[in-house]
Amino acid sequence: MKHENKVSEHTIKKFELVAKYVESWVQKLMNFKSFNSERNCKEIVFIDCMCNNGIYEDSAGNEVEGTPIRVAKIISEAMKKYPDKSAHLYFNDKNPAKVAELQKHLPPKTNNFQYSLSCQDGNDLLKALRKELLYHEGLHYLLFYDPYKAAIDWEALVEYFFGWGEVILNHMDYDTRRAITSVKRSETIDKYKKTYLTSIEELVSLHDDKNAYDEIIKNIIRNFRRIPNLLNQKYYLASFPFFIKTNAKIYSIIFFTNSKAGFKLFKKTAWKIFGDKSSNQNTHGRENQQTLFETLGLEDRQCYYITDIANYIIKSFKGEKNVPLKKIWDFVDEHPIFPTEGYIKKIKKILQETGLCKIKKELADFV
C-alpha cells in the first residue's frame, strides 16, 4: 500500500515517546490507590484532537504506525486486565478520509474499551469535551495536542491545565523561527500573536534564541496557573526538544501534569526513548568534552547525559557533608529535564567515580 504520509526519524521518536508513556501511565492509574476511594481512577481518557490517519511510511518504505494506533492498541490490551474500569479514546482530524483510514487500524471496541472518531477542528472538539471530562471524580485524562504548525488555541486548552489530567503539547517552534522575520500576511501575524500571546515585534526580536519561544509557551501555562485559589497547588512542566538530521531543532514536546509521579515517569520515558540522554541532538559521541560544543556550534546544547545529572548534583551540594540521598533525589526530581527514576544506580556510580562525592549507605559527602 502506498502511503501519502512520509515520516522522519524524529517523528517516529515522538510516536515512541507518547506511546511508551501511555503504556506506563495506564498501569499507574489503574493501580492507583487513594486514601479516599472516591478518588481512585475508574476511567481513563486519551484525546488526540489532530490525529491524522495513523499510518505512515519511513525512508526505507516500511509501514509505521502513528500515535493513535499505537496508543489504542496499548490501552485496549491493558484494559483486558481491568474489567471493572474503563477507557475512552477520542480521535479527531479535519479530513474525513484520514479518519476513515484510521478506523481500519484500530482494535475492536469492548465493554470497557471505547473510542469516538470525529472530523472537525480539534480545538472545537476540546471545547465540546470540557464539561464532560474535566470535573468527574475518578476520571483521568491525557490530552495530546499536536498541531502541524505553531498554532495553539489557548481558549480550547486552558481548562485542561486545571483538571485531574495531563497535557502533552507539541510546540512546532521551527515554524516560528523560520518565518517570523519575514511574515507579512495579517492572518499569519494573528496566528503567531494568538499562539504566543505576545506582540509580533517582541517575537521578531527573539528569533535568534532557539529556546525563547518554548519559554514563552511554558510561561503562558505558568501564568494560567497563577490565580489566587491555585497558588498552593503543585504542578510540573517538562520539555524535550527534537532535532532533524542537520541538528536543527524542529519542535519541543512540552509536558504538563499535577502529579509528581507522572512528571518523574515522563522524564524517565523520554530519556529511555533517546538512549539514556535528553534529546536526539547529535553531539558526535563526545558528550563529556564540554569545549567541543562550541567547536560544533552547539553552545546552545540541548542534549544532556547522566554525567550532566551527576555534575548538577555535585555543583548543587558542593562542600556539604552527610547529605541524605533522599534529599538529593528529591532535589533532582524537581528538575524539568533530569530524571532519577530508573537512573539512580548509574548516577551514584558516576558521582563516586568523580572523586568529588563519597557515598556511605544513605548519606553522601561532597568535596
Side-chain angles (χ1 to χ4, degrees):
M1 175 181 178
K2 185 176 177 60
H3 299 289
E4 63 176 49
N5 294 328
K6 296 290 184 178
V7 67
S8 56
E9 291 180 13
H10 63 82
T11 302
I12 295 173
K13 282 292 180 189
K14 177 181 68 175
F15 297 159
E16 292 174 357
L17 171 57
V18 176
K20 195 66 179 176
Y21 179 70
V22 167
E23 187 175 19
S24 300
W25 171 78
V26 173
Q27 298 301 329
K28 275 192 176 290
L29 285 168
M30 292 295 94
N31 293 292
F32 174 72
K33 300 293 183 185
S34 171
F35 292 115
N36 178 359
S37 60
E38 291 299 313
R39 289 286 294 162
N40 289 342
C41 183
K42 303 176 182 67
E43 179 179 5
I44 55 170
V45 169
F46 179 85
I47 310 165
D48 186 344
C49 57
M50 302 160 184
C51 67
N52 212 311
N53 67 11
I55 289 292
Y56 300 81
E57 188 178 273
D58 66 15
S59 58
N62 300 309
E63 187 173 275
V64 176
E65 292 179 344
T67 303
I69 298 173
R70 294 178 189 226
V71 167
K73 288 182 175 180
I74 289 168
I75 296 179
S76 171
E77 190 62 29
M79 296 313 296
K80 294 175 182 177
K81 302 176 184 177
Y82 305 98
D84 59 331
K85 300 189 179 184
S86 62
H88 200 119
L89 286 57
Y90 293 87
F91 297 125
N92 175 82
D93 194 277
K94 277 187 174 182
N95 188 328
K98 291 183 177 181
V99 174
E101 178 64 29
L102 172 62
Q103 188 170 17
K104 298 176 185 177
H105 305 276
L106 296 177
K109 296 179 180 180
T110 66
N111 289 337
N112 71 335
F113 171 77
Q114 298 287 316
Y115 59 81
S116 298
L117 304 175
S118 56
C119 307
Q120 59 181 305
D121 184 287
N123 297 304
D124 291 339
L125 173 65
L126 295 184
K127 293 172 186 176
L129 287 176
R130 286 184 300 208
K131 289 184 180 179
E132 183 178 343
L133 301 182
L134 298 186
Y135 308 106
H136 287 259
E137 286 284 347
L139 186 153
H140 191 288
Y141 58 85
L142 175 59
L143 166 59
F144 182 41
Y145 192 90
D146 188 14
Y148 306 123
K149 297 182 179 180
I152 299 173
D153 185 340
W154 292 108
E155 181 187 353
L157 270 181
V158 61
E159 288 191 54
Y160 289 87
F161 296 115
F162 296 97
W164 189 33
E166 299 172 347
V167 178
I168 300 174
L169 190 158
N170 183 8
H171 173 220
M172 186 72 73
D173 65 325
Y174 182 69
D175 171 53
T176 311
R177 289 185 283 108
R178 181 181 56 181
I180 197 69
T181 57
S182 59
V183 62
K184 291 183 173 61
R185 294 179 60 200
S186 59
E187 309 93 82
T188 308
I189 291 173
D190 287 344
K191 178 191 76 171
Y192 288 131
K193 289 168 65 176
K194 184 178 180 181
T195 294
Y196 296 103
L197 305 182
T198 305
S199 72
I200 197 70
E201 292 79 13
E202 176 70 10
L203 293 174
V204 169
S205 73
L206 296 170
H207 81 279
D208 284 330
D209 185 339
K210 292 182 175 60
N211 299 314
Y213 299 126
D214 278 345
E215 285 306 310
I216 291 174
I217 296 299
K218 287 186 281 188
N219 280 330
I220 289 171
I221 298 171
R222 293 182 186 113
N223 287 334
F224 284 146
R225 296 286 304 203
R226 290 187 186 121
I227 62 176
N229 65 330
L230 285 169
L231 284 178
N232 296 319
Q233 187 175 356
K234 188 78 173 178
Y235 68 91
Y236 303 87
L237 277 171
S239 179
F240 293 92
F242 285 69
F243 296 80
I244 57 178
K245 287 183 177 179
T246 60
N247 251 358
K249 179 170 171 261
I250 188 78
Y251 53 75
S252 290
I253 292 295
I254 297 173
F255 175 73
F256 171 91
T257 182
N258 294 304
S259 164
K260 187 172 184 178
F263 182 60
K264 292 168 61 177
L265 178 60
F266 192 84
K267 291 191 294 180
K268 170 190 175 181
T269 305
W271 277 63
K272 294 293 185 184
I273 290 298
F274 289 127
D276 290 346
K277 54 183 182 174
S278 71
S279 80
N280 66 330
Q281 186 182 39
N282 188 355
T283 56
H284 298 266
R286 299 170 68 183
E287 61 272 14
N288 296 323
Q289 297 185 27
Q290 301 295 323
T291 56
L292 179 71
F293 294 105
E294 297 177 10
T295 307
L296 296 173
L298 296 177
E299 51 279 322
D300 61 332
R301 178 165 71 115
Q302 295 182 72
C303 187
Y304 297 96
Y305 296 79
I306 301 172
T307 303
D308 293 298
I309 304 175
N311 288 337
Y312 173 67
I313 292 170
I314 288 167
K315 290 178 182 177
S316 301
F317 291 93
K318 183 177 180 179
E320 294 191 33
K321 307 294 183 184
N322 295 318
V323 181
L325 293 181
K326 184 180 184 307
K327 180 180 178 180
I328 296 170
W329 309 138
D330 287 345
F331 173 73
V332 178
D333 282 340
E334 299 293 321
H335 194 279
I337 301 171
F338 295 161
T340 60
E341 191 170 311
Y343 287 95
I344 286 178
K345 286 184 179 179
K346 293 180 180 179
I347 296 170
K348 286 169 68 175
K349 182 174 184 292
I350 294 173
L351 283 172
Q352 295 191 95
E353 286 174 350
T354 65
L356 300 174
C357 175
K358 182 179 180 181
I359 297 175
K360 43 186 181 180
K361 293 186 178 180
E362 297 301 316
L363 301 174
D365 292 339
F366 293 88
V367 176

